[in-house]
């Protein structure tokens, strides 16, 4: 390790406020992080009351960016290797999230995360999403293009919630969404030869006939190593939703109003619009002295705010809050 990077000042990591950590760096670099893949951060949940009960918040690439970071496998001296080194990284921890998207009640959820790369092809979980990058990552490349399929489970309000008025509304069914993601990451842009700046776009469509609509989320992220042990990153994203999405999750019809006492509302389903923005920060600390192997402490926080027609829904304005905070932490192991 010729350059431990201990001279990188902490404040330099905040040079681009509002961005977040992640993407793939050149594996030949002294600190060859593969902190991909940022939108929606993250950990996939277990179940408190069944998978439908807990998946509602964590599945959404818009709701949770990659705020829990995992370093990539350590490089080796195999100069004949064409593609980046294979690795598997797993993590377990706990998340503190809103009870539903727009709630002001909170709960703790157990969580786990998986990411890896085989023969240059990367894959990862993102909440209850699963994705595969079909563009192989070559050893030593500084610019990394990404493209591939993604499948997602959306379970918002599929079970009981703490607020009795929202709980009285009809339960929603688990939605299965499929789509594509694309993006690009550049290594060595601001603070050193090892920091990473990336852009990513995810778009999904409901294929299960539940909300029958679509969601899209552009994300920009930035991350940098502080040393061989430590890494920090920031991110920003905006989530756009189709009319059916707003109608299914945020509108209230007369029957729902009579059952819950909340007023009738139809504004969220009138047109496609930006429904939420998020800002995140995350970090990782290698307990073994090297982020790229062994046990790593991980943690992150994300602030999100529901916008316009979504924030005006009674499940948010009267029974919840437009301000949405998420906190998470845990222990990862990479091999």
């Amino acid at each position: 390790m010729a350059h431990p990077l201990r001279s990188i000042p902490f404040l330099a990591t905040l040079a681009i406020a509002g961005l977040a950590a992640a993407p793939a760096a050149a594996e030949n670099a002294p600190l060859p992080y593969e902190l991909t893949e940022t939108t929606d951060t993250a950990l996939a949940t277990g179940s408190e009351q069944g998978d439908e009960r807990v998946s509602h918040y964590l599945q959404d690439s818009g709701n949770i960016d990659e705020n829990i970071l995992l370093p990539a496998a350590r490089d080796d001296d195999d100069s004949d290797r064409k593609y980046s080194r294979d690795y598997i990284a797993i993590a377990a921890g706990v998340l503190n999230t809103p009870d539903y998207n727009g709630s002001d009640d909170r709960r703790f959820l157990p969580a786990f995360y998986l990411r890896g790369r085989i023969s240059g092809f990367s894959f990862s979980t993102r909440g209850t999403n699963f994705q595969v990058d079909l563009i192989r990552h070559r050893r030593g490349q500084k610019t990394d293009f990404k493209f591939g399929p993604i499948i997602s489970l959306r379970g918002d309000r599929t079970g009981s919630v703490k607020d009795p008025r929202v709980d009285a509304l009809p339960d929603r069914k688990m939605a299965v969404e499929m789509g594509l993601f694309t993006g690009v990451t550049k290594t060595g842009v601001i603070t050193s030869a090892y920091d990473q700046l990336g852009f990513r776009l995810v778009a999904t469509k409901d294929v299960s006939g539940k909300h029958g609509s679509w969601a899209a989320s552009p994300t920009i992220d930035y991350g940098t190593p502080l040393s061989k042990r430590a890494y920090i990153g920031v991110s920003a994203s905006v989530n756009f939703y189709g009319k059916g999405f707003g109608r299914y999750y945020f509108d209230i019809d007369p029957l729902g109003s009579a059952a819950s006492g909340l007023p009738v509302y139809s504004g969220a389903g009138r047109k496609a619009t930006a429904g939420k923005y998020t800002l995140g920060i995350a970090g990782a600390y290698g307990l073994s002295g090297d982020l790229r192997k062994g046990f790593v402490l991980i943690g992150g926080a994300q602030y999100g705010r529901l916008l316009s027609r979504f924030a005006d829904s009674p499940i948010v304005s009267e029974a919840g809050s437009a301000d949405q905070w998420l906190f998470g932490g845990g222990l990862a192991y990479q091999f």
Side-chain angles (χ1 to χ4, degrees), residues 87-319:
Y87 74 95
I88 298 291
I90 57 176
V94 64
L95 292 170
N96 181 255
T97 78
D99 195 33
Y100 62 86
N101 195 15
S103 175
D104 60 357
D105 295 312
R106 304 193 63 80
R107 58 182 174 155
F108 287 93
L109 298 175
F112 98 100
Y113 177 78
L114 170 69
R115 193 182 66 214
R117 184 173 55 226
I118 299 175
S119 299
F121 294 106
S122 298
F123 61 89
S124 68
T125 59
R126 295 169 178 270
T128 53
N129 300 335
F130 179 75
Q131 62 185 22
V132 178
D133 186 359
L134 299 180
I135 300 178
R136 303 175 82 173
H137 188 270
R138 292 180 175 272
R139 183 174 184 263
Q141 68 184 51
K142 295 291 186 179
T143 301
D144 182 22
F145 292 95
K146 305 176 186 301
F147 177 81
I150 183 170
I151 184 169
S152 170
L153 301 179
R154 186 181 298 276
D156 202 5
R157 287 170 47 209
T158 54
S160 63
V161 298
K162 293 181 179 179
D163 190 287
R165 295 167 294 176
V166 179
D167 194 42
L169 293 171
D171 288 345
R172 296 311 183 203
K173 302 296 185 180
M174 178 75 72
V176 180
E177 300 172 352
M178 297 185 68
L180 297 170
F181 70 91
T182 187
V184 61
T185 295
K186 176 68 175 177
T187 300
V189 289
I190 300 174
T191 61
S192 71
Y194 318 109
D195 64 343
Q196 304 160 339
L197 177 65
F199 174 80
R200 174 185 174 84
L201 175 65
V202 176
T204 59
K205 175 72 168 62
D206 175 25
V207 296
S208 60
K210 300 305 184 289
H211 62 79
S213 191
W214 56 269
S217 177
T219 300
I220 189 169
D221 52 74
Y222 174 77
T224 186
L226 304 179
S227 70
K228 289 171 60 177
R229 289 178 177 266
Y231 187 94
I232 192 170
V234 287
S235 70
S237 67
V238 180
N239 307 315
F240 297 88
Y241 303 109
K243 292 189 293 183
F245 183 97
R247 186 181 306 118
Y248 193 69
Y249 291 109
F250 289 89
D251 284 353
I252 301 175
D253 62 17
L255 290 178
S257 176
S260 67
L262 295 170
V264 173
Y265 183 73
S266 61
R270 288 180 182 173
K271 67 177 183 179
T273 186
K276 187 178 184 180
Y277 72 81
T278 61
L279 303 172
I281 185 169
Y285 183 82
L287 298 179
S288 67
D290 189 334
L291 275 169
R292 300 160 304 169
K293 62 178 182 178
F295 287 99
V296 179
L297 288 175
I298 52 178
Q302 178 180 284
Y303 170 74
R305 183 168 179 84
L306 292 166
L307 303 173
S308 61
R309 300 171 183 269
F310 291 81
D312 291 338
S313 169
I315 71 169
V316 180
S317 61
E318 296 189 22

Side-chain angles (χ1 to χ4, degrees), residues 12-32:
T13 66
L14 304 179
I16 300 183
L19 310 181
E27 193 172 3
N28 283 342
L31 290 180

